[in-house]
Amino acid sequence: MQEAIPQFWIFLGCLSYRVLLLQIRVKPDKTGVVTDGVKHSMNPFCEIAVEEAVRLKEKKLVSEVVAVCCGPQQCQETIRTALAMGADRGLHVEIPAKDYESLGPFQVSKILAALAKKEGVNLLLLGKQAIDDDCNQTGQMTAAFLDWPQGTFASEVSVDGDWLKIEREVDGGLETVRLKLPAVVTADLRLNEPRYATLPNIMKAKKKKIEVVKPSDLGVDLTSRIKTLSVEDPPQRKAGVKVETVDDLVVKLKESGKI
C-alpha cells in the first residue's frame, strides 16, 4: 500500500464567493459594492478541491483533510460545508470585515504559506481561481512563498509515493506533469463532480473542530498593496435603433459620426 500523505489542505477562504441576490449597489463612499445581508457560499472550484481531497482520503492516500478559510465570522459556515463533505477539521483565519474587503491573493498566500509551515503539511490543494473577482493568483503565489512545485488547472490528480502526477488542460490539449511532494495544486472544473453533503454528515460536521487563529499569530502583515481609487456604476445603456437596410445603417452611422 502506498504511504499516506500526512496532511492534505484545502483552502476555501478568499475563494468563497458572495451570491448577490439583490441588485448590485455601489457604496456611497465609492469604495466598493454593498454586501450587507448577502449570503456567502463556497466557490465551485473549492468544492471540487474538497471533493478531490476527500476522495484521496477514502483511497487511504492521505491521512487528514484540513479546510482553511480566511475572513470574518461567517466564513465558518463555509468551513462547516467542507466538514460535512468529509474534511476532518477546520482552520479559520479570522479577519475583520473592514480588513477582509481589501484582502487579496498576495496576503492570502502569505497566510497559507505560514500555516503550511506551522502545521507541517506537504500538499496544499486550492480552487484554481475565485469567481467574484476571477483572481487566478493565490495558488501560484503560495507555491512561490513556500518554494514548492505547483500543478495548476488540474483535471486529474494521482499519487505515486512521494510524487504527484497532474494532468492539466493547456491551449494545445493536455499536459502531464510530475511533482515532488511537498507541492501546491489548483483544481479545475473537470477534476471531479462534488458530492452533496448528507444530513447525517451535516450533523456530524457541527461537532468537528474549527480552530480560530489571527494573522498576527502567524506573523503575517495584511497591509494591502492595492488601493481602490473609486468604484462607479456602469453608464446607462442607450436604447438601440433598428434599421431596415444596409443603406439605412450607413446613413445612421454617418449621422452619429461613426464613419
Side-chain angles (χ1 to χ4, degrees):
M1 180 181 294
Q2 295 172 316
E3 184 179 354
I5 299 171
Q7 286 183 322
F8 195 111
W9 273 34
I10 308 302
F11 172 61
L12 305 172
C14 272
L15 304 185
S16 62
Y17 67 100
R18 292 175 282 242
V19 182
L20 299 180
L21 301 178
L22 304 176
Q23 182 179 1
I24 297 176
R25 293 179 291 118
V26 175
K27 292 180 178 178
D29 60 3
K30 307 289 187 182
T31 59
V33 296
V34 177
T35 59
D36 297 338
V38 173
K39 177 180 172 54
H40 288 236
S41 300
M42 192 188 302
N43 185 331
F45 293 109
C46 287
E47 289 181 325
I48 293 168
V50 173
E51 176 64 27
E52 191 65 20
V54 173
R55 290 187 185 188
L56 288 172
K57 186 184 177 186
E58 290 171 345
K59 295 175 184 176
K60 302 188 184 303
L61 296 176
V62 301
S63 58
E64 185 179 35
V65 177
V66 185
V68 183
C69 195
C70 300
Q73 177 66 28
Q74 52 264 52
C75 279
Q76 292 199 13
E77 299 174 12
T78 306
I79 296 178
R80 291 291 178 197
T81 301
L83 296 176
M85 291 175 67
D88 298 297
R89 61 185 174 94
L91 260 173
H92 176 205
V93 183
E94 190 172 25
I95 299 171
K98 62 181 180 64
D99 297 327
Y100 177 66
E101 291 294 332
S102 61
L103 195 68
F106 183 76
Q107 291 80 18
V108 171
S109 358
K110 290 198 294 184
I111 290 172
L112 287 178
L115 282 172
K117 292 176 182 177
K118 178 183 176 182
E119 294 279 334
V121 302
N122 63 354
L123 183 55
L124 193 71
L125 180 61
L126 303 81
K128 74 170 185 177
Q129 68 186 70
I131 66 166
D132 48 8
D133 56 12
D134 271 342
C135 279
N136 168 22
Q137 302 171 348
T138 305
Q140 293 89 328
M141 287 183 177
T142 304
F145 278 122
L146 291 168
D147 196 22
W148 288 2
Q150 57 181 294
T152 56
F153 318 136
S155 57
E156 186 177 325
V157 176
S158 57
V159 181
D160 182 13
D162 290 335
W163 291 84
L164 293 179
K165 185 173 80 170
I166 308 294
E167 190 172 275
R168 59 194 299 270
E169 295 184 13
V170 295
D171 290 342
L174 296 176
E175 178 184 51
T176 301
V177 296
R178 294 187 76 232
L179 309 177
K180 177 74 172 177
L181 292 171
V184 176
V185 176
T186 68
D188 207 345
L189 284 175
R190 293 173 182 81
L191 182 57
N192 59 53
E193 183 71 29
R195 71 191 67 190
Y196 288 101
T198 62
L199 182 58
N201 286 338
I202 292 174
M203 300 306 293
K204 290 178 184 177
K206 294 181 179 181
K207 298 180 181 179
K208 291 183 179 180
K209 180 181 177 182
I210 296 180
E211 181 184 354
V212 180
V213 298
K214 297 185 182 300
S216 57
D217 300 334
L218 304 170
V220 175
D221 179 15
L222 295 184
T223 303
S224 178
R225 303 296 182 91
I226 299 174
K227 182 178 180 180
T228 301
L229 300 180
S230 180
V231 177
E232 306 285 344
D233 284 307
Q236 292 290 332
R237 295 183 61 180
K238 297 180 180 179
V241 178
K242 289 185 178 181
V243 295
E244 298 295 332
T245 66
V246 174
D247 291 337
D248 292 339
L249 175 60
V250 172
V251 171
K252 289 291 184 184
L253 289 174
K254 286 182 177 179
E255 290 175 353
S256 62
K258 297 294 190 297
I259 59 174

